[in-house]
């Protein structure tokens, strides 16, 4: 097991800035190993990839493809060519919506869940204009996916199932392996949004058995602007290209074009090589800690915070998501007092905040005064917020450099704030 | 709110706890609801405009300390103003008058009310 | 005027590696100012943008939006919100093809030129399946755009004109201001691919008067994974969003969504903030040199190489593109001896290279042995290669850190090689 | 080509300048054209296969020194081989046998001919 205090020392920002950084579901800090990998690439090997015959370009190509191999291995792919580099999870899901969308017809159904991030809702809504229908599997009282409800919504019009592996609001961990096997049995294309999973637990895409799996580098110690779309070789093969341009072609004439093989087919234009190189260094860092340990670490923090919640009984504090930490990632969404739901219609003279309630913006601002960084808002999950009857929440989310002392600081600050404003 | 001047911070908190001009005008000449989807804040203004002048203004709403206080402060300021004067209130100037550094996100909270009033003023202009 | 030897000192790679880097049309090296800006962001300000109430996120948001302002100003935009951050030119053009494509009907025409990069051909070819027709304006003998031919191809079915500002093979500079005014007069949406222009000459998008202008950061000293789509405010406003997800929405319900204003409408998902920050530093670097000076510098190098060509009369050397350097960027595509065109059909017993001809791969490899990095291949302009009757060329392309001595080294190496293999 | 062993480099240049088995077989049992669009290189092989054995092989083509030399070298090696043996030639091994470091792009040039022959072998296999 690793020591989060030791880990923290690898992160220049965390020692330079006096901050308890608890916004890790949004994005994570970078260890010096990642920063150095990017600098090394700029200072010693920078060049364009794939088509250069000169030494620098060969080095860059080699680094880019080795990064692909390394990251592919990290997420359990047998074959590095099953990993497409994309900008982020959002791009991966849009790629899928565009490419798979061309196969769909009016009346076809896409099955999502009520806990999805906007990135796994809006791209599919684009297809509604052609008569495609979106359905949402319900959640249970405790904030877990209601698998029975999901299964009951599968029918012969269901063509795509796309679910998050871990919710970025509730932290709920979904049984994606089981879900993908339902999908397979019913001839449904299965997609997993792994943005909140790959950074926080061991993930083996081949084992999950999904057709496609998406994740973002910046949420797992890597640079921004790089992420992965992993897939079954045959599923990727069948997918029509998303963007056209350099690298992704085999031949182009004025009349028509033929395309390169996977993964290049989906990597039009000059790629973010430093992003790939940096993400590969991030993967090495995480591998050294051990993803099982990372998961355990966050589970411990989560248990600690839930225990403190019970012990401290902070006035009006309410938090969301499953209480059983074995089904929950390190995400803690909460409010102080009742928050009204987001609605433009139901304003009334006494619609100001209920007594004792503190708006999540004010909570975040007060925490910030105390050097603690949390997020407040809808967390790109407005529909889920609506379902919870809330306009917004505050959210603390943890990672490898957060320790119990961070949680303690956070909770005692909350206590103070709950008495204050 | 962030690093700021204590006095101004007091002012914000005071307006947040005791918003001025809170409520609805019965038969307003204009009304508008403005909202910030990021945090769910919503403000509803009812206004009486006569001879291009804001005779009365009230608001109801829900929001964080900054959006509520800014709305309250703004209603006090614009009462009696010509609508073209409201249109000319510059965002930077209004923000500065609040006296505390807000940062980019909370600036949006503070500007919610100003945006609403500018829309009302612009609308009235168009009609005349 | 600046001194390229002095400039070179700012580029760590160029002093560490013993290389004459002449592949600048593909991508450019990074000065320490850009690398440091990226490191500073990682080590002192890293966070997610736009929705955080805490100090780090405010700093990051501020840096991201200041970068947007700075880069927007650099390309002559009055209004920073007219600059959308994209991954690269390729993404910008695909965004336009998807968004504008929804407005097109069978029989509508898109007008390109014969010198376009794959990125400005393939995305438009995607629209052929819905009956959209692509036409190509011809080139003159000297490799310049035949404006008369372009104008003659405008008719009432023409809906989009998309042209490169500068060719990445011939170096030809196109009169985009004039072309966009034709487009405007005929109610045609005008697009300029500025990938090879923004890095190398003063560009003022407002003055050009195009509806949309695309460019890549990595070709102008900036990081990979960041680029710009600039546009007229009303043109961007009318464009439907390309990708869906976080940041680009106003409201999302399970049923439908509304979208944010430009530019966020087009920036779904977590953006490449370090990319934007690095590109802003690159823009500062270029501004300090003066883009008029950058242009003059490359013109001088180009004139020098054309002079040497005449003086040295290297056996079988042939180069492509306009001889008048006032109409030409710093791109020098060439061959030694006759290269066959790309065709699978016309192989014959004596289709090996003509006597004295040296394959561009071999040229590049031989130059590489001498520490000179040039590209060889089709340069993502296969159709243009076909037009020139070639399968491939070698290509040297220049930038601010290349001096006359680099050109001299390059030409004398060519002389040696032309005698050798 | 890049940093390499002088002797091997000589071998490549020799095969490039004087390709072996250059030409066409009149009535081949198999033929294939393989090309590399990146550089326009193209190789055309005609092969006589009898009893699953490569009795004769010739090629014509155009390409860089590496692709031409590799094709020439490969024809010499496979003549007389069983087709299943051709299928089993491993890319790494073939590249290594050329004796010089090629780098990722030029490896593709060198493998053009091997890919072509494997397709022929695979095709023959499928038919039998
Ligand atoms: C003229 C032109 N257009 C478009 C591109 C594509 O640029 P990117 O690969 O950065 O998207 C390039 C460069 O490769 C180019 O030279
Ligand atoms: C569950 C989930 N899906 C998708 C995303 C989108 O990730 P990105 O912004 O990196 O595309 C996020 C993070 O914001 C997320 O938490």
């Amino acid at each position: 097991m690793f020591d989060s205090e030791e880990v923290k020392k690898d992160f220049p920002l965390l020692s330079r800035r006096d901050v308890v950084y608890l916004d890790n579901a949004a994005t994570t800090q970078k260890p010096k190993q990642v920063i150095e990998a990017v600098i090394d690439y700029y200072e010693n090997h920078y060049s364009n990839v794939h088509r250069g015959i000169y030494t620098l370009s060969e080095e860059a190509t080699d680094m880019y493809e080795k990064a692909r191999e390394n990251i592919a291995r990290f997420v359990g792919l047998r074959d590095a060519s099953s990993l497409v580099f994309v900008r982020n999870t959002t791009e991966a899901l849009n790629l899928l919506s565009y490419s798979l969308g061309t196969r769909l017809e009016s009346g076809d159904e896409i099955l999502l869940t009520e806990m999805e991030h906007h990135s796994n809702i809006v791209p599919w809504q684009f297809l509604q204009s052609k008569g495609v229908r979106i359905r949402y599997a319900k959640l249970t009282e405790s904030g877990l996916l209601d698998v029975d409800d999901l299964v009951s919504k599968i029918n012969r019009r269901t063509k795509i199932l796309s679910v998050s592996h871990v919710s970025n609001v509730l932290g709920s961990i979904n049984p994606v392996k089981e879900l993908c096997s339902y999908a397979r049995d019913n001839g449904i294309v299965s997609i997993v949004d792994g943005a909140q999973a790959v950074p926080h637990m061991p993930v083996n895409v081949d084992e999950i058995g999904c057709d496609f799996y998406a994740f973002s580098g910046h949420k797992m110690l890597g640079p921004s602007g790089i992420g992965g779309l992993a897939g079954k070789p045959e599923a990727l093969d069948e997918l029509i290209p998303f963007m056209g341009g350099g690298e992704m072609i085999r031949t182009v004439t004025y009349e028509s074009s033929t395309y390169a093989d996977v993964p290049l087919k989906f990597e039009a234009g000059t790629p973010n090589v430093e992003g790939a190189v940096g993400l590969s260094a991030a993967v090495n860092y995480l591998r050294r800690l051990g993803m099982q340990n990372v998961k355990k670490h966050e589970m411990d923090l989560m248990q600690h915070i839930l225990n403190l919640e019970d012990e401290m009984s902070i006035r009006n504090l309410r938090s969301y998501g499953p209480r059983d930490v074995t089904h929950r990632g390190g995400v803690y969404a909460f409010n102080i007092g009742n928050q009204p739901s987001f609605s433009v219609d139901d304003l009334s003279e006494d619609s100001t905040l209920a007594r004792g309630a503190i708006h999540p913006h004010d909570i975040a601002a007060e925490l910030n005064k105390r050097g603690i960084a949390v997020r407040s808002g809808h967390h790109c999950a407005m529909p889920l917020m609506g379902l919870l009857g809330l306009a917004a929440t505050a959210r603390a989310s943890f990672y490898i450099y957060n320790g119990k002392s961070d949680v303690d600081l956070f909770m005692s600050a909350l206590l103070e704030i709950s008495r204050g404003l | 709110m962030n690093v700021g001047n204590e006095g101004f911070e007091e002012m914000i908190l005071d307006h947040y706890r005791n918003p001025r001009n809170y409520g609805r005008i019965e038969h307003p000449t204009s009304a508008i609801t403005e909202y910030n989807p990021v945090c769910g804040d919503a403000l509803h203004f009812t206004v009486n405009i006569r001879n291009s002048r804001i005779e009365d203004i009230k608001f109801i709403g829900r929001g964080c300390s900054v959006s509520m206080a800014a709305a309250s402060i703004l209603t006090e300021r614009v009462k009696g103003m010509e609508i073209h004067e409201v249109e000319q209130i510059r965002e930077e100037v209004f923000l500065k008058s609040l006296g505390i550094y807000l940062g980019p996100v909370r600036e949006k909270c503070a500007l919610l009310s100003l945006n609403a009033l500018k829309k009302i003023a612009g609308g009235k202009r168009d009609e005349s």
Side-chain angles (χ1 to χ4, degrees), chain A, chain B:
Chain A
M1 201 56 201
F2 58 86
D3 172 2
S4 59
E5 281 307 313
E6 282 306 308
V7 167
K8 200 178 263 180
K9 291 184 186 147
D10 284 331
F11 291 74
L13 184 140
L14 295 176
S15 40
R16 284 160 180 237
R17 301 291 299 251
D18 196 13
V19 63
V20 176
Y21 183 78
L22 299 180
D23 193 17
N24 293 288
T27 197
T28 58
Q29 298 300 329
K30 314 306 167 208
K32 61 174 188 288
Q33 290 83 344
V34 168
I35 301 171
E36 279 162 10
V38 171
I39 300 175
D40 171 60
Y41 175 62
Y42 281 141
E43 297 195 338
N44 297 303
H45 313 283
Y46 186 84
S47 161
N48 211 326
V49 293
H50 290 313
R51 277 161 298 140
I53 305 259
Y54 53 90
T55 309
L56 275 182
S57 176
E58 285 168 358
E59 289 171 11
T61 306
D62 198 50
M63 290 169 82
Y64 186 61
E65 293 304 333
K66 288 242 165 70
R68 192 194 303 277
E69 278 166 34
N70 191 33
I71 300 160
R73 195 152 20 92
F74 184 73
V75 296
L77 294 171
R78 222 160 311 152
D79 186 354
S81 70
S82 307
L83 179 68
V84 177
F85 281 126
V86 291
R87 176 172 39 225
N88 50 27
T89 305
T90 303
E91 192 195 5
L93 293 169
N94 277 277
L95 186 164
L96 293 171
S97 154
Y98 274 100
S99 288
L100 295 171
T102 57
R103 299 185 203 161
L104 300 190
E105 290 169 12
S106 180
D108 282 347
E109 295 184 3
I110 297 171
L111 186 49
L112 311 175
T113 83
E114 287 180 341
M115 69 174 82
E116 297 311 315
H117 186 279
H118 293 163
S119 292
N120 197 24
I121 298 177
V122 184
W124 305 115
Q125 287 183 342
F126 287 166
L127 299 173
Q128 287 176 330
S129 65
K130 61 189 271 185
V132 169
R133 209 177 141 209
I134 302 177
R135 302 186 71 185
Y136 297 90
K138 286 200 190 318
L139 310 188
T140 66
E141 274 299 305
S142 65
L144 292 169
L145 178 65
D146 183 339
V147 176
D148 291 341
D149 186 67
L150 185 142
V151 171
S152 79
K153 282 174 172 146
I154 292 179
N155 62 49
R156 48 173 205 82
R157 305 299 325 238
T158 315
K159 294 289 148 56
I160 295 172
L161 171 71
S162 188
V163 297
S164 50
H165 198 160
V166 176
S167 158
N168 69 317
V169 177
L170 304 171
S172 328
I173 301 175
N174 291 323
V176 288
K177 187 170 172 182
E178 186 187 338
L179 300 178
C180 292
S181 118
Y182 284 121
R184 218 167 26 254
D185 292 347
N186 290 277
I188 297 168
V189 175
S190 58
I191 301 169
V192 178
D193 167 356
Q196 297 296 342
V198 179
H200 302 288
M201 57 174 74
V203 167
N204 188 309
V205 174
D206 278 353
E207 237 173 75
I208 290 168
C210 52
D211 290 299
F212 302 105
Y213 194 102
F215 59 98
S216 296
H218 69 93
K219 292 186 198 280
M220 51 189 285
L221 311 180
S224 313
I226 192 80
L229 170 62
K232 284 196 184 143
E234 59 284 11
L236 285 167
D237 240 27
E238 284 170 12
L239 217 53
I240 62 166
F242 174 39
M243 298 204 212
E247 305 286 5
M248 60 72 73
I249 55 93
R250 188 181 310 278
T251 60
V252 180
T253 68
Y254 290 122
E255 290 74 33
S256 64
S257 303
T258 59
Y259 309 124
D261 291 334
V262 178
L264 292 191
K265 180 164 81 169
F266 302 107
E267 297 182 0
T270 304
N272 186 348
V273 181
E274 53 264 50
V277 166
L279 181 53
S280 183
V283 153
N284 289 341
Y285 191 94
L286 289 170
R287 197 183 272 129
R288 194 169 54 73
L289 297 184
M291 289 312 292
Q292 202 60 61
N293 293 334
V294 171
K295 182 166 187 210
K296 170 98 174 43
H297 174 72
E298 292 184 32
M299 243 171 66
D300 290 348
L301 289 183
M302 208 57 227
Q303 191 59 63
H304 184 55
I305 206 169
L306 292 180
N307 293 347
L308 284 180
E309 221 186 42
D310 291 341
E311 283 164 29
M312 295 168 71
S313 50
I314 296 174
R315 195 165 51 113
N316 287 323
L317 175 65
R318 55 212 61 190
S319 71
Y320 312 95
R323 308 293 293 182
D324 175 354
V325 297
T326 60
H327 293 106
R328 177 167 182 173
V331 180
Y332 182 74
F334 65 98
N335 267 319
I336 295 180
N338 279 326
Q339 299 301 324
S341 70
F342 177 70
S343 157
V344 222
D345 308 321
D346 66 352
L347 278 180
S348 71
E349 257 84 351
D350 44 37
S351 63
T352 43
L353 285 176
R355 280 224 159 275
I358 303 178
H359 191 286
H361 271 195
D362 289 320
I363 298 175
E366 287 296 316
L367 285 169
N368 184 53
K369 278 191 196 163
R370 294 162 175 82
I372 301 170
V374 305
R375 184 147 294 246
S376 70
H378 53 61
H379 317 298
C380 293
M382 275 196 181
L384 174 60
M385 290 284 130
L387 191 73
L388 298 173
L390 303 168
T393 77
R395 182 187 72 186
S397 51
F398 306 101
Y399 210 24
I400 50 175
Y401 34 68
N402 299 125
K404 284 200 174 143
S405 61
D406 291 343
V407 171
D408 293 341
L409 272 172
F410 163 69
M411 286 300 272
S412 52
L414 265 196
L415 179 64
E416 215 177 282
I417 293 165
S418 75
R419 290 175 175 158
L421 225 71
Chain B
M1 64 235 85
N2 293 323
V3 271
N5 177 307
E6 282 294 317
F8 283 103
E9 205 163 297
E10 277 305 307
M11 174 180 84
I12 298 277
L13 278 181
D14 176 38
H15 277 270
Y16 173 52
R17 294 199 186 108
N18 310 295
R20 325 294 197 263
N21 300 311
Y22 199 78
R24 284 186 210 256
I25 296 172
E26 274 302 308
H27 299 288
T29 60
S30 309
I32 193 168
T33 306
E34 187 80 7
Y35 55 94
N36 177 352
V38 172
C39 45
D41 290 2
L43 296 170
H44 178 76
F45 291 88
T46 44
V47 190
N48 269 337
I49 298 175
R50 227 160 302 242
N51 298 325
S52 298
R53 182 177 300 277
I54 295 182
E55 287 203 336
D56 198 10
I57 179 165
K58 280 184 189 301
F59 84 102
I60 56 175
R62 55 160 187 265
C64 65
S65 54
V66 172
S67 61
M68 294 298 279
S72 167
I73 290 167
L74 192 64
T75 55
E76 286 198 320
R77 296 219 186 130
V78 298
K79 213 184 272 188
M81 268 192 187
E82 299 266 350
I83 56 166
H84 77 265
E85 292 177 283
V86 174
E87 277 186 287
Q88 278 159 16
I89 299 175
R90 281 176 44 218
E91 295 191 346
E92 309 84 76
V93 175
F94 179 64
L95 289 172
K96 206 147 180 213
S97 76
L98 298 179
I100 52 170
Y101 170 76
L102 288 169
V105 174
R106 303 214 88 188
E107 283 185 355
K108 285 189 194 134
C109 304
L111 293 172
L112 201 59
S113 42
L114 184 60
N115 288 339
L117 290 196
K118 285 191 174 184
K119 279 185 196 165
I120 283 193
K124 283 295 140 185
R125 162 106 338 147
D126 291 343
E127 282 164 31
S128 66

